[in-house]
Amino acid sequence: MRANSSHRAAVTPYLFVGPLFLVFALFYLWPTIATVASSAFRWGMLNPWQTQNPADWQFVGLSNYADTLNSGDFWNAALNSAIWLIVFPTLVLATSFPLAILIWNTRRGASFFRSVFVIPMTISLSAAGVIWSFIYNPDVNKGVLNAVLHVFGLDKASFVFGPLELHAGRWLSDPGILHLGFADIRLVNLFIIIPAVWAFAGFGVITFSAGLTSVPAELIDAARVDGAGRLQLVRHVVMPSLRPSILVVGVVSVIFALRTFDIVFVTTGGGPAQDSEVLAMLLWKQVFQFLDTPQGGLAAAIAVLMSVAMIVIAMPYIRATLKEQR
Amino acid sequence: MKSRWPMFALYGVLSVASIFWLVPVATVAMISILPLDQSSKGWWHADLSTATLANYGRVWEHGLSGYTLNSLIISLLSVAITVVLGTLAAYAFARMAFRLKGTLYFLLITTMIVPVQIILIPLVPWFRTLGLNQGSAQYLGISLVHTAFGAGWALFMLIGFFSQIPDEVLESARIDGASEFQAFLRIALPLSVPGIISFVIIDFVFVWNDLLMGLTLLDSDHRPLTVGLANLQAPQLNQDDIISAGSILAILPPLILFAILNRYYVRGLFAGAVKG
């Protein structure tokens, strides 16, 4: 009897976890293994690499990785993804953190302001891209941004400030370049990131607002009795309490930044030329747009490289988040 | 007591920021209710007496009705499967000790980090092998992919709620002879409703807003609204009127859900992951 019940106790957890794990194994673990394995073969989507027909396998070792790392297209997309990885989380934090602090300090209207910033959070990045295409419309009679600039006579202005070359008006076609010497940063990426930040900042605002309620009131009072100024208060009392929130927002926006596909797909499709092509887009084009060429292995190699990069970048954050949760 | 910021500066900054945030939505809303000849002169000096809902009717008949139905089916099915399987698993991770716990947790939580591209390519032949590439089976297929991919999020959010339930509550249920499953169903679940609702919102928004999976895994009769909207984007055709109406239709359902359940979502956040 006793042995029986302890046996049951040992099995019960697996009955709870089992169903989710089964779905995970079939639709995540196995495809992941297949991606990694297929990156060592030469194949195209018309005749995809599959375990059940080993006769078709064309083993090429690591040459898909070598070809990828030697291709200009890859490094172009990697640079654009790097821009996303740096600029997107920075802008999300730089907008949502101050907004949340400001809202926290209002006496009235906090919920109104919070709603204004949080509502776009439910908007998909693809819809955000469509919506902002209206704002960016180069026709001054249709696009708000250019209409406003037109009033100041700036809608067709071109500027050169040192390494920065900016053409107003053509936000999604040819907004300019930042020459950094080792790399040319295409500004079109920035103008795709802005709508993404617009849509995503609400997640930061709502997360920080929730976090701010956990700042102990006694701590704030004590700091003010000690004569702390407003900025000191934010820096020494509020910031430490918000560390878990900052981590969550930072990690989630980093994760989103590397996955970016939707908003690029609807705004520019990776163009003009390949100026806004990110890794996710390059991979998708290679495998699903050129079905007849055997680029599947190359795309799989890109997927593996992206995942490795993400794990390397995000691991310390995830560890820290999990530790804070314990 | 909060610190006293100069109130005019505070409200000034917030108001300017609010305008920046509202203009895109206002733009699309205005274009969507104006006839094309009005909006192409600039919606900001359009004649509001010409406002009409005709654009919505046209975009609905233009094929968006089918895409909307697809999106609803996929989102509801995905969320349902994820919540059922996710709460079960999260309960075990939060309340039970077992040998493979650490390994399984680590594996499942990686879905939060690893980009979706790692599974995308082989899923196409894999769906063919499993018979999930035709007809309505595609709904099930993509929902299971969303479930697998949402597993990490589900656990991350839900474990926090289940571990906050006091031991005594579950213990007393066990003393009354309840099985572990009954304790889960009758006690743990009802106590975690705010957490589950905040997860439902996030997951629904996430699935509803997916473009890449729908575009890649489904045939054209089963694709979601995000794909339908992207298909309307054709600069050479002057159809701002129906594109804007379509955008509004695409953003409404998650927005309504969020508005209704916002209270729970915030409460869930307050109690859950963020506070640690």
Side-chain angles (χ1 to χ4, degrees):
Chain A
M1 189 65 200
R2 206 185 158 77
N4 192 7
S5 82
S6 82
H7 171 72
R8 202 198 305 149
V11 172
T12 311
Y14 297 100
L15 296 179
F16 276 78
V17 177
L20 184 67
F21 194 79
L22 182 69
V23 174
F24 166 84
L26 277 177
F27 294 96
Y28 189 89
L29 205 52
W30 168 244
T32 301
I33 294 167
T35 300
V36 176
S38 69
S39 71
F41 296 87
R42 187 182 149 85
W43 55 274
M45 210 60 207
L46 278 190
N47 187 15
W49 183 87
Q50 277 174 301
T51 41
Q52 56 271 45
N53 33 354
D56 293 353
W57 292 1
Q58 266 186 282
F59 185 73
V60 292
L62 291 176
S63 76
N64 283 327
Y65 291 90
D67 291 352
T68 298
L69 293 174
N70 280 321
S71 98
D73 287 351
F74 173 78
W75 289 108
N76 170 64
L79 175 66
N80 292 334
S81 282
I83 295 171
W84 271 87
L85 273 174
I86 295 166
V87 176
F88 179 70
T90 308
L91 287 183
V92 166
L93 287 171
T95 50
S96 60
F97 189 80
L99 285 173
I101 298 274
L102 289 174
I103 292 171
W104 184 58
N105 277 285
T106 53
R107 301 242 174 82
R108 276 150 198 262
S111 64
F112 166 76
F113 285 120
R114 207 177 295 131
S115 312
V116 167
F117 301 115
V118 167
I119 280 171
M121 184 180 110
T122 60
I123 297 176
S124 64
L125 288 186
S126 54
V130 174
I131 290 171
W132 275 74
S133 301
F134 289 110
I135 301 284
Y136 287 142
N137 195 321
D139 184 340
V140 293
N141 288 320
K142 294 181 184 171
V144 183
L145 181 55
N146 286 329
V148 171
L149 291 175
H150 183 67
V151 174
F152 301 102
L154 290 173
D155 59 307
K156 290 199 170 60
S158 282
F159 306 93
V160 179
F161 305 109
L164 176 70
E165 206 182 294
L166 179 68
H167 316 290
R170 288 165 279 168
W171 309 106
L172 293 177
S173 50
D174 182 23
I177 303 173
L178 175 63
H179 301 281
L180 283 184
F182 60 93
D184 285 346
I185 307 289
R186 311 277 169 181
L187 296 185
V188 62
N189 291 291
L190 180 65
F191 293 104
I192 305 174
I193 292 174
I194 289 172
V197 172
W198 171 79
F200 200 82
F203 174 70
V205 171
I206 202 166
T207 308
F208 290 133
S209 298
L212 280 166
T213 61
S214 73
V215 180
E218 315 86 68
L219 216 58
I220 294 174
D221 288 341
R224 293 188 57 233
V225 170
D226 291 345
R230 279 186 290 276
L231 289 179
Q232 282 175 309
L233 198 68
V234 169
R235 186 160 150 36
H236 296 291
V237 180
V238 176
M239 287 278 257
S241 312
L242 282 187
R243 259 184 57 94
S245 312
I246 295 173
L247 268 174
V248 168
V249 176
V251 171
V252 175
S253 51
V254 164
I255 292 169
F256 261 76
L258 190 67
R259 282 181 192 172
T260 302
F261 174 86
D262 302 8
I263 195 164
V264 180
F265 183 80
V266 298
T267 49
T268 63
Q274 294 176 308
D275 285 1
S276 60
E277 189 167 275
V278 289
L279 286 172
M281 180 126 250
L282 173 66
L283 174 158
W284 189 83
K285 279 185 178 167
Q286 281 199 338
V287 71
F288 296 111
Q289 212 166 53
F290 309 114
L291 290 177
D292 44 345
T293 51
Q295 295 184 331
L298 291 172
I302 296 174
V304 172
L305 291 171
M306 282 173 72
S307 306
V308 170
M310 200 64 240
I311 290 168
V312 169
I313 296 168
M315 235 352 162
Y317 295 96
I318 297 291
R319 271 226 193 96
T321 315
L322 295 180
K323 212 184 283 168
E324 306 240 6
Q325 261 217 318
R326 292 274 144 79
Chain B
M1 263 309 285
K2 294 167 185 172
S3 65
R4 276 184 220 97
W5 293 60
M7 280 299 146
F8 63 92
L10 188 75
Y11 284 101
V13 172
L14 280 175
S15 303
V16 171
S18 300
I19 290 169
F20 272 105
W21 248 259
L22 288 174
V23 162
V25 179
T27 298
V28 175
M30 288 294 287
I31 296 175
S32 77
I33 57 165
L34 290 168
L36 200 55
D37 60 334
Q38 285 289 321
S39 63
S40 56
K41 287 187 299 189
W43 59 265
W44 49 91
H45 34 59
D47 178 3
L48 270 181
S49 66
T50 60
T52 162
L53 289 177
N55 299 336
Y56 287 88
R58 279 178 45 224
V59 77
W60 188 251
E61 281 156 22
H62 206 87
L64 238 55
S65 54
Y67 286 117
T68 308
L69 184 67
N70 293 339
S71 270
L72 274 176
I73 295 173
I74 295 168
S75 304
L76 294 176
L77 192 59
S78 302
V79 171
I81 300 174
T82 311
V83 165
V84 172
L85 303 191
T87 48
L88 273 169
Y91 181 76
F93 281 114
R95 314 295 316 194
M96 301 177 195
F98 49 100
R99 260 185 63 207
L100 292 174
K101 189 171 172 176
T103 314
L104 292 182
Y105 182 69
F106 174 79
L107 281 175
L108 289 163
I109 215 82
T110 56
T111 56
M112 283 173 70
I113 315 162
V114 178
V116 60
Q117 281 76 18
I118 195 74
I119 58 171
L120 197 63
I121 304 167
L123 277 178
V124 176
W126 188 223
F127 267 33
R128 228 176 287 150
T129 310
L130 296 177
L132 293 171
N133 65 327
Q134 274 164 359
S136 303
Q138 293 175 88
Y139 294 133
L140 179 65
I142 195 169
S143 299
L144 291 171
V145 174
H146 280 305
T147 302
F149 211 73
W153 279 106
L155 293 181
F156 181 70
M157 290 189 68
L158 295 171
I159 287 176
F161 295 102
F162 285 128
S163 44
Q164 279 166 2
I165 300 169
D167 277 333
E168 307 84 65
V169 180
L170 290 169
E171 200 47 51
S172 67
R174 284 192 206 104
I175 290 167
D176 291 345
S179 70
E180 203 57 66
F181 184 71
Q182 287 166 328
F184 163 76
L185 202 62
R186 301 217 186 109
I187 307 209
L189 269 190
L191 285 174
S192 307
V193 165
I196 293 169
I197 288 179
S198 51
F199 176 72
V200 164
I201 296 176
I202 288 198
D203 200 39
F204 183 91
V205 170
F206 202 81
V207 176
W208 180 272
N209 289 343
D210 159 71
L211 170 82
L212 182 56
M213 299 270 206
L215 182 68
T216 310
L217 299 177
L218 305 177
D219 69 29
S220 51
D221 291 335
H222 295 80
R223 285 179 176 162
L225 194 49
T226 42
V227 179
L229 191 57
N231 286 346
L232 287 178
Q233 288 269 84
Q236 64 279 17
L237 306 174
N238 188 6
Q239 45 186 18
D240 282 3
D241 49 350
I242 61 172
I243 296 173
S244 57
S247 314
I248 296 282
L249 286 178
I251 65 183
L252 271 184
L255 190 67
I256 292 169
L257 183 77
F258 186 81
I260 296 171
L261 300 176
N262 180 26
R263 211 158 37 90
Y264 289 97
Y265 176 74
V266 173
R267 208 193 299 162
L269 258 188
F270 278 47
V274 173
K275 263 192 173 176

